[in-house]
Short mmCIF file of all heavy atoms in Angstrom, two decimals:
data_model
loop_
_atom_site.label_atom_id
_atom_site.label_comp_id
_atom_site.label_asym_id
_atom_site.label_seq_id
_atom_site.Cartn_x
_atom_site.Cartn_y
_atom_site.Cartn_z
N ASP A 81 -9.05 25.45 8.94
CA ASP A 81 -10.19 24.99 8.15
C ASP A 81 -11.59 25.34 8.76
O ASP A 81 -12.58 25.29 8.03
CB ASP A 81 -10.16 23.51 7.80
CG ASP A 81 -8.94 23.14 7.04
OD1 ASP A 81 -8.57 23.88 6.10
OD2 ASP A 81 -8.31 22.04 7.35
N LEU A 82 -11.57 25.60 10.07
CA LEU A 82 -12.81 25.79 10.78
C LEU A 82 -12.93 27.19 11.40
O LEU A 82 -13.70 27.46 12.29
CB LEU A 82 -12.92 24.75 11.92
CG LEU A 82 -12.98 23.28 11.44
CD1 LEU A 82 -12.90 22.38 12.63
CD2 LEU A 82 -14.23 23.03 10.61
N TYR A 83 -12.18 28.20 10.82
CA TYR A 83 -12.25 29.54 11.34
C TYR A 83 -13.40 30.36 10.60
O TYR A 83 -13.91 31.25 11.17
CB TYR A 83 -10.92 30.29 11.05
CG TYR A 83 -9.87 29.95 12.09
CD1 TYR A 83 -8.53 30.05 11.73
CD2 TYR A 83 -10.14 29.56 13.37
CE1 TYR A 83 -7.53 29.76 12.64
CE2 TYR A 83 -9.17 29.23 14.30
CZ TYR A 83 -7.87 29.34 13.95
OH TYR A 83 -6.86 29.12 14.85
N GLY A 84 -13.67 29.94 9.36
CA GLY A 84 -14.61 30.76 8.58
C GLY A 84 -16.06 30.31 8.72
O GLY A 84 -16.76 30.65 9.58
N VAL A 85 -16.47 29.47 7.64
CA VAL A 85 -17.81 29.01 7.70
C VAL A 85 -18.05 27.93 8.76
O VAL A 85 -17.02 27.43 9.37
CB VAL A 85 -18.28 28.51 6.34
CG1 VAL A 85 -18.28 29.65 5.33
CG2 VAL A 85 -17.43 27.32 5.90
N SER A 86 -19.24 27.49 8.96
CA SER A 86 -19.48 26.47 9.99
C SER A 86 -18.91 25.10 9.63
O SER A 86 -18.61 24.82 8.49
CB SER A 86 -21.02 26.27 10.22
OG SER A 86 -21.62 25.66 9.04
N ARG A 87 -18.68 24.21 10.66
CA ARG A 87 -18.21 22.92 10.40
C ARG A 87 -19.14 22.13 9.44
O ARG A 87 -18.63 21.46 8.56
CB ARG A 87 -18.05 22.10 11.74
CG ARG A 87 -17.40 20.72 11.52
CD ARG A 87 -17.43 19.96 12.84
NE ARG A 87 -16.62 20.56 13.86
CZ ARG A 87 -15.32 20.14 14.14
NH1 ARG A 87 -14.80 19.25 13.42
NH2 ARG A 87 -14.63 20.71 15.13
N ASP A 88 -20.39 22.28 9.63
CA ASP A 88 -21.33 21.64 8.71
C ASP A 88 -21.19 22.09 7.28
O ASP A 88 -21.27 21.24 6.27
CB ASP A 88 -22.75 21.89 9.10
CG ASP A 88 -23.17 21.08 10.40
OD1 ASP A 88 -22.46 20.14 10.68
OD2 ASP A 88 -24.21 21.34 11.00
N GLU A 89 -20.88 23.39 7.15
CA GLU A 89 -20.69 23.84 5.76
C GLU A 89 -19.37 23.34 5.17
O GLU A 89 -19.35 23.09 3.95
CB GLU A 89 -20.71 25.43 5.74
CG GLU A 89 -20.69 26.04 4.41
CD GLU A 89 -21.83 25.74 3.48
OE1 GLU A 89 -22.85 25.21 3.97
OE2 GLU A 89 -21.84 25.96 2.29
N VAL A 90 -18.40 23.29 5.97
CA VAL A 90 -17.09 22.71 5.53
C VAL A 90 -17.29 21.20 5.06
O VAL A 90 -16.81 20.76 4.06
CB VAL A 90 -15.97 22.76 6.59
CG1 VAL A 90 -14.72 22.17 6.08
CG2 VAL A 90 -15.73 24.23 7.01
N LEU A 91 -18.09 20.46 5.87
CA LEU A 91 -18.39 19.12 5.51
C LEU A 91 -19.12 19.06 4.21
O LEU A 91 -18.87 18.16 3.35
CB LEU A 91 -19.18 18.47 6.68
CG LEU A 91 -18.42 18.12 7.95
CD1 LEU A 91 -19.26 17.79 9.08
CD2 LEU A 91 -17.46 16.89 7.72
N ASN A 92 -20.08 19.96 4.05
CA ASN A 92 -20.84 19.96 2.84
C ASN A 92 -20.06 20.27 1.61
O ASN A 92 -20.11 19.64 0.57
CB ASN A 92 -22.02 21.03 2.99
CG ASN A 92 -22.87 21.04 1.81
OD1 ASN A 92 -23.37 20.04 1.31
ND2 ASN A 92 -23.08 22.24 1.18
N ILE A 93 -19.26 21.35 1.70
CA ILE A 93 -18.42 21.72 0.53
C ILE A 93 -17.37 20.66 0.19
O ILE A 93 -17.16 20.38 -1.06
CB ILE A 93 -17.69 23.16 0.81
CG1 ILE A 93 -18.79 24.17 0.90
CG2 ILE A 93 -16.73 23.41 -0.29
CD1 ILE A 93 -18.24 25.56 1.37
N SER A 94 -16.78 20.14 1.22
CA SER A 94 -15.73 19.16 0.96
C SER A 94 -16.26 17.72 0.75
O SER A 94 -15.52 16.78 0.32
CB SER A 94 -14.77 19.07 2.20
OG SER A 94 -15.42 18.65 3.31
N ASN A 95 -17.53 17.53 1.06
CA ASN A 95 -18.16 16.21 0.99
C ASN A 95 -17.35 15.17 1.75
O ASN A 95 -17.04 14.07 1.24
CB ASN A 95 -18.26 15.75 -0.54
CG ASN A 95 -19.20 14.58 -0.67
OD1 ASN A 95 -20.05 14.33 0.05
ND2 ASN A 95 -18.96 13.73 -1.74
N SER A 96 -16.96 15.64 2.93
CA SER A 96 -16.06 14.77 3.75
C SER A 96 -16.86 14.15 4.90
O SER A 96 -17.96 14.60 5.22
CB SER A 96 -14.94 15.62 4.40
OG SER A 96 -14.06 16.19 3.42
N GLU A 97 -16.26 13.07 5.50
CA GLU A 97 -16.75 12.57 6.75
C GLU A 97 -15.65 12.76 7.78
O GLU A 97 -14.48 12.93 7.48
CB GLU A 97 -17.03 11.04 6.57
CG GLU A 97 -18.17 10.75 5.59
CD GLU A 97 -18.38 9.26 5.50
OE1 GLU A 97 -18.97 8.67 6.47
OE2 GLU A 97 -18.03 8.67 4.48
N GLN A 98 -16.06 12.72 9.10
CA GLN A 98 -15.14 12.93 10.16
C GLN A 98 -15.01 11.63 10.98
O GLN A 98 -15.95 10.77 11.10
CB GLN A 98 -15.62 14.02 11.06
CG GLN A 98 -15.63 15.37 10.26
CD GLN A 98 -15.80 16.53 11.22
OE1 GLN A 98 -16.86 16.75 11.83
NE2 GLN A 98 -14.76 17.29 11.46
N ASN A 99 -13.82 11.50 11.56
CA ASN A 99 -13.50 10.31 12.44
C ASN A 99 -13.83 9.05 11.69
O ASN A 99 -14.79 8.29 12.10
CB ASN A 99 -14.30 10.47 13.74
CG ASN A 99 -13.95 11.62 14.49
OD1 ASN A 99 -12.75 11.93 14.83
ND2 ASN A 99 -14.89 12.45 14.95
N ILE A 100 -13.09 8.83 10.63
CA ILE A 100 -13.39 7.68 9.79
C ILE A 100 -12.26 6.55 9.96
O ILE A 100 -11.13 6.90 10.36
CB ILE A 100 -13.46 8.00 8.30
CG1 ILE A 100 -12.16 8.60 7.78
CG2 ILE A 100 -14.62 8.99 8.04
CD1 ILE A 100 -12.10 8.79 6.25
N SER A 101 -12.65 5.32 9.68
CA SER A 101 -11.71 4.21 9.72
C SER A 101 -11.89 3.43 8.46
O SER A 101 -12.96 3.08 8.08
CB SER A 101 -12.01 3.36 10.94
OG SER A 101 -11.20 2.19 10.93
N ILE A 102 -10.72 3.13 7.82
CA ILE A 102 -10.73 2.30 6.59
C ILE A 102 -9.87 1.15 6.84
O ILE A 102 -8.66 1.22 7.21
CB ILE A 102 -10.10 3.20 5.43
CG1 ILE A 102 -10.97 4.40 5.15
CG2 ILE A 102 -10.09 2.32 4.15
CD1 ILE A 102 -10.27 5.43 4.20
N ALA A 103 -10.44 0.01 6.69
CA ALA A 103 -9.80 -1.33 7.00
C ALA A 103 -9.48 -2.09 5.70
O ALA A 103 -10.23 -2.18 4.79
CB ALA A 103 -10.71 -2.18 7.85
N THR A 104 -8.21 -2.45 5.66
CA THR A 104 -7.76 -3.32 4.57
C THR A 104 -7.33 -4.68 5.19
O THR A 104 -7.44 -4.87 6.37
CB THR A 104 -6.63 -2.73 3.78
OG1 THR A 104 -5.37 -2.77 4.60
CG2 THR A 104 -6.92 -1.32 3.30
N ASP A 105 -6.74 -5.58 4.51
CA ASP A 105 -6.40 -6.82 5.03
C ASP A 105 -5.39 -6.83 6.17
O ASP A 105 -5.49 -7.50 7.13
CB ASP A 105 -5.72 -7.75 3.92
CG ASP A 105 -6.79 -8.15 2.88
OD1 ASP A 105 -8.01 -8.14 3.25
OD2 ASP A 105 -6.35 -8.66 1.78
N ASP A 106 -4.43 -5.78 6.15
CA ASP A 106 -3.49 -5.71 7.22
C ASP A 106 -3.20 -4.34 7.72
O ASP A 106 -2.15 -4.10 8.40
CB ASP A 106 -2.22 -6.51 6.92
CG ASP A 106 -1.43 -5.78 5.81
OD1 ASP A 106 -2.06 -4.97 5.05
OD2 ASP A 106 -0.28 -6.13 5.55
N VAL A 107 -3.99 -3.34 7.26
CA VAL A 107 -3.78 -1.98 7.67
C VAL A 107 -5.10 -1.28 8.04
O VAL A 107 -6.11 -1.48 7.38
CB VAL A 107 -3.13 -1.16 6.52
CG1 VAL A 107 -2.95 0.30 6.90
CG2 VAL A 107 -1.77 -1.71 6.07
N ILE A 108 -5.10 -0.53 9.10
CA ILE A 108 -6.28 0.29 9.50
C ILE A 108 -5.82 1.74 9.34
O ILE A 108 -4.84 2.23 9.95
CB ILE A 108 -6.70 0.02 10.90
CG1 ILE A 108 -6.99 -1.44 11.17
CG2 ILE A 108 -7.95 0.88 11.24
CD1 ILE A 108 -8.15 -1.97 10.47
N ILE A 109 -6.59 2.53 8.49
CA ILE A 109 -6.31 3.96 8.31
C ILE A 109 -7.38 4.67 9.06
O ILE A 109 -8.55 4.51 8.81
CB ILE A 109 -6.32 4.28 6.85
CG1 ILE A 109 -5.29 3.50 6.09
CG2 ILE A 109 -6.09 5.86 6.66
CD1 ILE A 109 -5.43 3.60 4.54
N ILE A 110 -6.96 5.60 9.98
CA ILE A 110 -7.92 6.34 10.75
C ILE A 110 -7.65 7.87 10.51
O ILE A 110 -6.54 8.33 10.50
CB ILE A 110 -7.70 6.01 12.24
CG1 ILE A 110 -8.22 4.62 12.56
CG2 ILE A 110 -8.55 7.08 13.15
CD1 ILE A 110 -7.92 4.18 14.02
N SER A 111 -8.73 8.60 10.29
CA SER A 111 -8.71 10.06 10.21
C SER A 111 -9.41 10.54 11.53
O SER A 111 -10.57 10.32 11.73
CB SER A 111 -9.47 10.57 9.02
OG SER A 111 -9.48 12.03 9.02
N LEU A 112 -8.60 11.19 12.40
CA LEU A 112 -9.04 11.60 13.72
C LEU A 112 -9.17 13.12 13.76
O LEU A 112 -8.21 13.83 13.53
CB LEU A 112 -8.12 11.17 14.81
CG LEU A 112 -8.45 11.55 16.21
CD1 LEU A 112 -9.70 10.78 16.71
CD2 LEU A 112 -7.32 11.21 17.18
N GLU A 113 -10.35 13.64 14.00
CA GLU A 113 -10.60 15.05 14.06
C GLU A 113 -10.12 15.65 15.40
O GLU A 113 -10.55 15.20 16.48
CB GLU A 113 -12.02 15.39 13.77
CG GLU A 113 -12.48 15.09 12.42
CD GLU A 113 -11.70 15.73 11.30
OE1 GLU A 113 -11.29 16.90 11.50
OE2 GLU A 113 -11.44 15.05 10.29
N THR A 114 -9.28 16.66 15.41
CA THR A 114 -8.76 17.23 16.56
C THR A 114 -8.97 18.75 16.68
O THR A 114 -8.63 19.37 17.70
CB THR A 114 -7.25 16.95 16.71
OG1 THR A 114 -6.51 17.56 15.66
CG2 THR A 114 -6.94 15.50 16.74
N ALA A 115 -9.52 19.37 15.66
CA ALA A 115 -9.68 20.81 15.60
C ALA A 115 -10.94 21.32 16.25
O ALA A 115 -11.95 20.71 16.09
CB ALA A 115 -9.62 21.26 14.10
N ARG A 116 -10.83 22.44 16.93
CA ARG A 116 -11.94 23.12 17.53
C ARG A 116 -12.75 23.84 16.46
O ARG A 116 -12.18 24.34 15.54
CB ARG A 116 -11.58 24.04 18.63
CG ARG A 116 -10.76 23.33 19.73
CD ARG A 116 -10.15 24.35 20.67
NE ARG A 116 -9.22 23.72 21.59
CZ ARG A 116 -9.60 23.19 22.72
NH1 ARG A 116 -10.83 23.25 23.10
NH2 ARG A 116 -8.71 22.66 23.55
N ASP A 117 -14.01 24.08 16.67
CA ASP A 117 -14.94 24.72 15.75
C ASP A 117 -14.95 26.30 16.15
O ASP A 117 -15.42 26.64 17.14
CB ASP A 117 -16.30 24.09 15.79
CG ASP A 117 -17.16 24.51 14.63
OD1 ASP A 117 -16.71 25.34 13.82
OD2 ASP A 117 -18.22 23.92 14.49
#
Side-chain angles (χ1 to χ4, degrees):
D81 295 320
L82 297 172
Y83 283 153
V85 298
S86 69
R87 185 186 293 264
D88 284 345
E89 187 63 13
V90 179
L91 287 166
N92 180 53
I93 293 170
S94 63
N95 194 27
S96 297
E97 295 181 73
Q98 296 192 288
N99 299 308
I100 63 171
S101 175
I102 301 168
T104 70
D105 288 343
D106 65 345
V107 179
I108 306 291
I109 301 168
I110 291 173
S111 174
L112 178 69
E113 295 302 323
T114 62
R116 302 170 187 273
D117 198 351

